[in-house]
């Protein structure tokens, strides 16, 4: 999930709140990880580490533009 806090019309929070996203996904019985979406190696290692987990997975990639 690309979590960049932006939408087509501005900030996501201005349109609708998706928080607490992590907790919402957990409530659907997903295995949830949260990573810096700018770090490809971290994303790759997270995918590999969760490969053996049998339940559905979600990886939240924080991709807020760096200033």
């Amino acid at each position: 999930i690309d979590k960049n806090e932006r939408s087509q019309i501005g900030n996501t929070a201005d349109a609708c709140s998706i928080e607490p996203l992590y907790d919402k996904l957990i409530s659907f019985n997903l295995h949830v990880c949260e990573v810096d979406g700018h770090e490809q190696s971290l994303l790759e290692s997270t995918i590999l580490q969760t490969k053996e987990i049998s339940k559905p997975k979600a990886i939240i990639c924080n991709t807020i533009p760096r200033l």
Side-chain angles (χ1 to χ4, degrees):
I1 299 170
D2 180 12
K3 184 180 170 197
N4 62 14
E5 298 183 8
R6 304 287 187 265
S7 73
Q8 189 173 6
I9 59 172
N11 292 330
T12 304
D14 294 340
C16 65
S17 177
I18 63 170
E19 296 301 335
L21 181 58
Y22 183 94
D23 294 335
K24 288 178 182 179
L25 295 170
I26 291 286
S27 74
F28 285 102
N29 199 32
L30 276 78
H31 176 84
V32 183
C33 298
E34 197 160 1
V35 300
D36 179 344
H38 297 285
E39 298 294 334
Q40 183 176 348
S41 61
L42 182 57
L43 181 55
E44 290 172 357
S45 67
T46 301
I47 291 169
L48 291 173
Q49 289 172 7
T50 60
K51 206 171 194 174
E52 300 300 318
I53 296 172
S54 61
K55 63 196 264 185
K57 299 169 254 328
I59 301 173
I60 301 171
C61 299
N62 292 305
T63 58
I64 298 171
R66 295 178 181 167
L67 301 176

